[in-house]
Amino acid sequence: MILSKSGYISGLQCPKRLWLQKNGASKNISNKAAELLELGHEVGDAALQYFGQVEKIEQASLFAMVGKTKKLLTQREKAVAEAAFIYNECYCQADVVTIEPDGSLNIFEVKSTTRKKPEHVDDMAFQYYVISHSGYKINMFYHMRLNSDFVGETGQLNVIDLFEFENVTNELVSMQPFVENKINELQKIMTASCPNCKISECCKSPHECEFIQHCKNEQSIPEYSVLDIVGMGWKKKVQLINNGIITMKDYYDEHNKNNVSCNYLMQAAFEANNIPMFIDKNKVKKFLSSLQYPLYYLDFESFQQDVPLFDEVKPYQQVPFQYSLHYQLSPRGPVYHLEYLADCNNKFEDPRVALVEQLCSDIPDNATIMAYNASFEKSCISNMAKAFPKYSDKLICMTKHFVDLMIPFKNKDVYMRAMKGSYSIKYVLPALFPNDSKLDYHNLDMVQNGQMAMDAFKKMNSLTEEERQYLRHRLLKYCELDTYAMVKIVKWLYDHI
């Protein structure tokens, strides 16, 4: 079995994870992981622009790619991207390689992050081992990452300022004895029987393992357990499992027996005792009395750019492209709806340009604005105030008039067993309205969550006109539900006090 650098990183995290990857266990990639892969490709493409003329090794058989790499490095004419190397059944591809006049190599590991992480160092140390043992002399090894201070400018991309570099050569050289020993260990593990590893801290570090459910099943950990206690650190959850405290009832009984109070007991108590609902009417009444009408319910949909293409946008900053706006003139008055969705024809067109103008038109001065987890909407508006000075006064004023509907649920002034410890609107809404199909996100077509909305908008310009119009309608329906849900939740609060 060939040990790749990704396999090496998996083995460092957990030998069982490597074994399962190599021995055919099924796994599913999450939406978030898919998004990060896409962002990584965008950074990689920008990095190639930095180096000018680059010859890229296309995907083929492993040994064909290694042979092509050797030929190009011997010619010394261009930088080589995805250069392939193999030694002692260990395989890696270097993001970019440049050649010095004496034939030595400069290796550039391109990362779509703004800082160096420990797993990046392990990744590069493995590459250093394979390349240096493949008959090549390494001159310098660089960690090439996004410059966190880079700010985009609409219409152009300055790849020179987009990246920053760190020479990690000496650090990697010092790690080579460890790398060699670890490779020998992992190569034996891949062909042996499955390691007997149980749920532990490594399941979440440095990344969440895709085989957690596999291990939970092996240990007979139920679908809903102490591992699902909201807000508790993973290390503490693992300690509970190791101490035989597995179910919510186990956790509740242990704390109740010792008369110990803690932040997580409410979730466990409701589950253990089948308590349906709690509401602190005085606190809810105080929250509702703070609302000033007319009240505007606002929700943005946004996407991220690791390579910023618009004015005043930094790497991974949220860029809003859509909003929904319900509003009421009085608590029991009729509900009105406004909405906006950018119609970008290509990824270089800033969706905020028309959005900010429409938003400032739709929301009157000094109006109270409600959002669920309002810090997100406030952050989007603050960033747009920097990007669009013409509207900055109006936008900054908006940020001072927000009310966060999440507060009563975050503070557990209202709590239901069905919320399972969460105060996310995706848990709160079905708990409050379990039988209302109109408030069920799963009944929406194509777009049912923020990640799906982001993906839908990104691919809009590659669709036919008919497909675009259909997808636009789905996006509008999804975002509309986000604000309509807030209207219904506020009415529920009024009704229950």
Side-chain angles (χ1 to χ4, degrees):
M1 290 186 177
I2 298 294
L3 181 64
S4 67
K5 66 176 183 178
S6 61
Y8 176 76
I9 297 301
S10 293
L12 286 183
Q13 179 171 346
C14 174
K16 187 175 184 179
R17 184 185 185 198
L18 172 63
W19 191 94
L20 289 170
Q21 287 175 342
K22 287 293 183 180
N23 289 277
S26 62
K27 59 181 179 177
N28 295 313
I29 188 166
S30 68
N31 285 336
K32 184 62 178 176
E35 177 198 355
L36 291 175
L37 284 174
E38 181 183 347
L39 291 175
H41 289 311
E42 292 177 2
V43 173
D45 291 342
L48 296 188
Q49 295 180 45
Y50 181 94
F51 289 97
Q53 283 195 323
V54 178
E55 187 81 22
K56 187 173 182 178
I57 304 296
E58 300 299 334
Q59 289 299 308
S61 70
L62 189 154
F63 289 100
M65 291 190 290
V66 171
K68 177 73 172 183
T69 297
K70 184 175 182 179
K71 179 179 179 181
L72 292 174
L73 294 179
T74 302
Q75 294 172 350
R76 304 185 188 182
E77 294 177 355
K78 300 177 182 177
V80 180
E82 302 296 334
F85 304 90
I86 191 167
Y87 170 75
N88 190 27
E89 296 186 312
C90 294
Y91 171 76
C92 71
Q93 283 187 267
D95 290 332
V96 182
V97 177
T98 62
I99 307 96
E100 293 290 308
D102 64 357
S104 62
L105 308 181
N106 296 312
I107 314 295
F108 297 84
E109 177 67 8
V110 182
K111 292 298 183 184
S112 55
T113 61
T114 56
R115 61 185 178 89
K116 184 178 72 176
K117 301 178 182 179
E119 59 267 30
H120 296 169
V121 179
D122 290 324
D123 179 316
M124 294 184 290
F126 178 84
Q127 290 184 64
Y128 192 101
Y129 174 84
V130 176
I131 296 170
S132 63
H133 282 82
S134 300
Y136 298 97
K137 178 183 176 183
I138 297 177
N139 179 47
M140 295 290 180
F141 207 118
Y142 294 96
H143 186 265
M144 181 178 178
R145 56 182 177 260
L146 294 169
N147 175 7
S148 60
D149 295 325
F150 180 83
V151 178
E153 187 174 350
T154 302
Q156 57 183 315
L157 174 61
N158 181 357
V159 293
I160 301 301
D161 294 334
L162 177 63
F163 294 101
E164 61 182 20
F165 300 81
E166 181 180 350
N167 186 345
V168 294
T169 312
N170 293 336
E171 185 177 8
L172 303 185
V173 170
S174 69
M175 294 176 64
Q176 292 309 294
F178 169 82
V179 173
E180 185 168 21
N181 289 334
K182 183 56 69 172
I183 285 173
N184 291 333
E185 177 187 324
L186 295 179
Q187 286 179 327
K188 293 175 183 176
I189 286 172
M190 287 192 297
T191 55
S193 58
C194 182
N196 184 27
C197 302
K198 299 188 180 299
I199 294 290
S200 68
E201 290 182 51
C202 73
C203 297
K204 297 276 187 174
S205 180
H207 305 291
E208 180 171 333
C209 177
E210 65 271 40
F211 300 110
I212 284 183
Q213 189 58 49
H214 176 96
C215 294
K216 285 172 66 177
N217 292 341
E218 279 192 347
Q219 292 179 237
S220 300
I221 297 174
E223 188 64 30
Y224 189 44
S225 70
V226 293
L227 296 178
D228 300 294
I229 295 177
V230 174
M232 181 183 286
W234 183 255
K235 181 178 180 180
K236 174 64 176 175
K237 293 177 181 179
V238 170
Q239 289 174 350
L240 291 174
I241 293 291
N242 292 338
N243 291 331
I245 300 172
I246 297 173
T247 67
M248 290 292 184
K249 189 175 188 310
D250 293 338
Y251 185 79
Y252 172 76
D253 289 345
E254 181 72 16
H255 283 73
N256 196 43
K257 177 179 65 177
N258 299 318
N259 197 26
V260 176
S261 177
C262 71
N263 293 332
Y264 317 112
L265 198 55
M266 192 173 193
Q267 181 184 355
F270 273 56
E271 185 65 24
N273 299 303
N274 196 21
I275 302 171
M277 183 179 78
F278 165 80
I279 179 168
D280 188 325
K281 293 190 176 183
N282 288 330
K283 289 184 178 179
V284 172
K285 190 177 294 185
K286 184 178 179 180
F287 172 79
L288 292 175
S289 67
S290 70
L291 303 183
Q292 300 293 318
Y293 286 79
L295 183 60
Y296 286 76
Y297 303 85
L298 175 65
D299 180 77
F300 286 124
E301 297 304 327
S302 65
F303 66 94
Q304 292 176 304
Q305 292 181 321
D306 53 350
V307 180
L309 299 174
F310 309 136
D311 291 340
E312 296 297 326
V313 175
K314 290 188 174 184
Y316 295 105
Q317 180 178 311
Q318 296 287 351
V319 178
F321 61 84
Q322 176 183 8
Y323 67 79
S324 176
L325 193 67
H326 279 86
Y327 67 96
Q328 286 178 291
L329 303 181
S330 63
R332 299 293 184 179
V335 180
Y336 305 94
H337 183 239
L338 300 169
E339 61 188 358
Y340 178 83
L341 172 58
D343 188 20
C344 292
N345 295 319
N346 61 71
K347 68 177 184 178
F348 299 104
E349 185 177 343
D350 190 342
R352 302 170 302 164
V353 175
L355 181 148
V356 70
E357 180 179 1
Q358 188 63 47
L359 183 69
C360 289
S361 173
D362 285 344
I363 300 180
D365 292 340
N366 301 314
T368 302
I369 305 170
M370 177 170 280
Y372 205 98
N373 190 15
S375 60
F376 174 75
E377 272 69 25
K378 289 172 68 175
S379 174
C380 288
I381 290 174
S382 296
N383 289 332
M384 288 191 292
K386 297 176 185 177
F388 304 99
K390 177 181 176 182
Y391 301 100
S392 61
D393 290 344
K394 170 91 173 183
L395 293 170
I396 291 171
C397 183
M398 284 185 190
T399 63
K400 298 176 181 178
H401 293 85
F402 266 86
V403 177
D404 196 336
L405 182 55
M406 185 172 70
I407 289 173
F409 303 98
K410 183 178 181 180
N411 294 343
K412 292 186 168 55
D413 301 333
V414 178
Y415 184 76
M416 290 184 170
R417 180 189 177 198
M419 293 176 187
K420 295 189 173 181
S422 174
Y423 46 85
S424 162
I425 196 169
K426 298 300 191 292
Y427 279 83
V428 169
L429 193 63
L432 300 184
F433 304 97
N435 301 314
D436 193 335
S437 61
K438 293 181 180 179
L439 297 176
D440 188 344
Y441 284 90
H442 295 96
N443 290 333
L444 296 174
D445 182 24
M446 294 187 70
V447 182
Q448 300 175 346
N449 57 50
Q451 180 64 52
M452 295 172 77
M454 182 188 302
D455 294 340
F457 183 74
K458 280 187 171 182
K459 70 179 184 181
M460 194 82 77
N461 64 330
S462 64
L463 304 177
T464 66
E465 183 58 27
E466 182 179 357
E467 290 170 333
R468 278 164 53 88
Q469 291 306 317
Y470 183 79
L471 194 52
R472 280 182 62 84
H473 182 66
R474 297 296 97 202
L475 280 166
L476 291 170
K477 284 298 180 184
Y478 166 72
C479 197
E480 179 182 357
L481 180 53
D482 275 342
T483 51
Y484 181 63
M486 286 191 278
V487 174
K488 296 290 286 184
I489 291 171
V490 170
K491 183 179 184 301
W492 188 97
L493 294 176
Y494 274 115
D495 289 344
H496 283 74
I497 64 165

